Amino acid sequence: MRTQVAIIGAGPAGLLLSHLLHLQGIDSVVLESRDRDYVEHRQRAGVLEQGTADVLRESGVGERLDREGLVHHGVELRFGGAGHRIPLTDLTGRTVTVYAQTEMVKDLVARRLADGGEVLFEAEAVEVDPSAPSVTFRSGGELRTLHCDYVAGCDGFHGVSRPAVPGIRTFSREYPFAWLGILADVPPSTEELIYAHHDRGFALHSLRSPTVSRLYLQVRPDEDLAEWSDARIWDELAARFATDDGWKLHEGPITDRSVTPMRSFVAEPLRHDRLFLAGDAGHIVPPTGAKGLNLAVSDVIVLARAFAERYASGSETLLDGYSDAVLRRVWMTEHFSYWMTHLLHVDPAAGDFERRLQRAHLDYVVSSEAARTSLAENYVGLPITWPSGA
């Protein structure tokens, strides 16, 4: 087999990259270890920065997004029994859109297949050669080799791409808490996301649609789901979202639950020879602030433009600048996610002094226009950082 760009991973990063390359007349093959049903139904993030929503629309896969996505102009920080709205659009002129990653993946898979794209499911990449570029993969019990000009590793934190970069440096932080996330068949109790800080821990009220709610609780990293009955989950959510004005949380059947550990992680560089890393293969952010999916999208926007320049002119200038350019935005986004996480979660090791400082910081953020603007600018998405010459 041969293609111009071999893409490992059929998540949002890999699928969007394949689609953007197709629009430039560049061939690609996407290799995905899981089956299509798994890929289209795994629950992930659901808040799109305006830049992410814009690229989906501009590339022709935004029809269902525009029909079903929920455009939000603000978010709420809730603490001390009161809510404080951060008016995103008033402060930045931009919005975010609630649209589940699962739906974005479905749209991209359908579009790639309709365009005749090669998305090979149950094709597990087992080895990458960055120098004589190729990917060896297992499909139907047989080993096959996909030869190519370049490899894009969009295969997540546990994929084979990052280990193929010799001498790669990694930076990481593990957090002393996790998120217990649920999906519930109940209309959301809010029109905009609520980020709640409470002495018992953080909580987040998100939404998936007018009839489906997505909610999270801060728990221990080793939390046993068996200890959390539906009644206990709803009682704890109600306690952490409680306000002095009697706000009520709607309850309903829980259809999915899971515990997600939290980490920050960055690998450098994101390129070796003809192998390029994008998305979770190169960096992880804690879910506070909803940046993981959006950071992956910004990676492949830059990478797609660099490939387009290479095949249009023969120049590899943008490819050479990919890693440094992308990492500048990665580190800024890592900082925002780290900051939001510490602003809102309860550190079990923190004493009274640290907790009072945290409350003072929350008061400052909601009372200062400069602080609200900084939060809003990061939340709706920082500008993409391009390689020199782009």
Side-chain angles (χ1 to χ4, degrees):
M1 297 179 62
R2 178 163 183 83
T3 189
Q4 290 175 297
V5 181
I7 300 172
I8 309 175
L15 291 167
L16 180 59
L17 176 59
S18 180
H19 174 59
L20 295 176
L21 294 179
H22 168 73
L23 296 179
Q24 296 292 329
I26 301 168
D27 292 332
S28 68
V29 174
V30 180
L31 304 174
E32 168 57 47
S33 62
R34 303 281 191 161
D35 62 32
R36 180 176 177 180
D37 183 71
Y38 178 89
V39 168
E40 293 186 337
H41 291 90
R42 53 186 168 189
Q43 294 297 326
R44 292 293 188 270
V47 179
L48 308 185
E49 296 174 355
Q50 181 163 329
T52 298
D54 287 346
V55 76
L56 294 174
R57 296 185 182 105
E58 292 164 2
S59 65
V61 286
E63 180 180 351
R64 200 157 66 92
L65 167 68
D66 285 333
R67 187 171 66 248
E68 300 177 15
L70 306 174
V71 177
H72 285 190
H73 299 277
V75 296
E76 179 182 321
L77 300 186
R78 184 174 292 189
F79 59 93
H84 308 268
R85 185 173 185 267
I86 308 297
L88 302 174
T89 305
D90 291 348
L91 292 168
T92 68
R94 297 168 71 80
T95 64
V96 295
T97 301
V98 174
Y99 190 65
Q101 176 174 317
T102 51
E103 305 309 312
M104 176 179 165
V105 166
K106 290 175 187 176
D107 296 342
L108 287 166
V109 169
R111 181 58 182 270
R112 289 304 299 124
L113 297 180
D115 288 341
E118 290 191 82
V119 182
L120 306 184
F121 295 100
E122 298 181 88
E124 179 188 7
V126 296
E127 186 178 359
V128 178
D129 186 338
S131 300
S134 64
V135 182
T136 301
F137 65 98
R138 182 178 291 107
S139 178
E142 297 182 357
L143 287 178
R144 305 176 66 186
T145 300
L146 174 61
H147 299 277
C148 53
D149 299 331
Y150 300 96
V151 180
C154 305
D155 49 345
F157 185 77
H158 299 289
V160 299
S161 297
R162 189 174 66 254
V165 179
I168 195 167
R169 298 184 65 196
T170 61
F171 308 83
S172 64
R173 178 182 180 85
E174 301 289 333
Y175 293 87
F177 34 74
W179 279 11
L180 192 167
I182 66 166
L183 271 178
D185 284 339
V186 59
S189 308
T190 178
E191 295 182 354
E192 297 178 335
L193 275 70
I194 302 171
Y195 291 82
H197 169 79
H198 191 276
D199 289 343
R200 295 165 69 152
F202 167 80
L204 169 61
H205 192 324
S206 184
L207 44 160
R208 284 293 179 264
S209 74
T211 60
V212 177
S213 297
R214 181 74 160 154
L215 301 106
Y216 300 90
L217 286 166
Q218 176 187 339
V219 295
R220 302 188 317 271
D222 60 350
E223 200 73 45
D224 183 358
L225 274 176
E227 297 179 359
W228 286 85
S229 65
D230 289 12
R232 183 187 177 192
I233 290 173
W234 288 116
D235 287 348
E236 191 64 25
L237 285 166
R240 297 188 193 185
F241 285 122
T243 60
D244 295 337
D245 61 6
W247 182 89
K248 296 295 183 183
L249 176 67
H250 302 155
E251 300 182 12
I254 296 175
T255 60
D256 182 79
R257 73 189 73 203
S258 61
V259 172
T260 302
M262 301 180 69
R263 68 163 64 92
S264 297
F265 174 87
V266 181
E268 295 183 352
L270 298 178
R271 186 242 178 117
H272 172 64
D273 209 338
R274 298 194 174 205
L275 168 64
F276 298 82
L277 305 181
D280 287 0
H283 43 76
I284 300 284
V285 292
T288 325
K291 292 296 156 198
L293 165 64
N294 295 291
L295 202 51
V297 168
S298 68
D299 287 354
V300 299
I301 291 172
V302 175
L303 189 55
R305 185 165 175 179
F307 281 136
E309 173 67 15
R310 158 65 179 84
Y311 284 107
S313 70
S315 171
E316 293 197 352
T317 300
L318 299 188
L319 288 174
D320 291 340
Y322 166 77
S323 181
D324 288 344
V326 165
L327 283 169
R328 288 198 296 274
R329 191 177 193 272
V330 166
W331 277 112
M332 288 188 287
T333 304
E334 289 280 354
H335 178 266
F336 173 69
S337 298
Y338 170 90
W339 175 79
M340 277 280 283
T341 299
H342 282 278
L343 179 69
L344 294 165
H345 289 73
V346 174
D347 185 340
D352 291 341
F353 180 79
E354 289 80 9
R355 295 193 181 194
R356 292 297 292 269
L357 288 177
Q358 185 179 34
R359 176 58 185 270
H361 195 175
L362 282 162
D363 286 334
Y364 171 70
V365 168
V366 300
S367 61
S368 163
E369 183 172 356
R372 292 199 308 272
T373 301
S374 177
L375 189 158
E377 286 177 344
N378 281 271
Y379 197 86
V380 300
L382 296 172
I384 288 178
T385 52
W386 295 99
S388 177

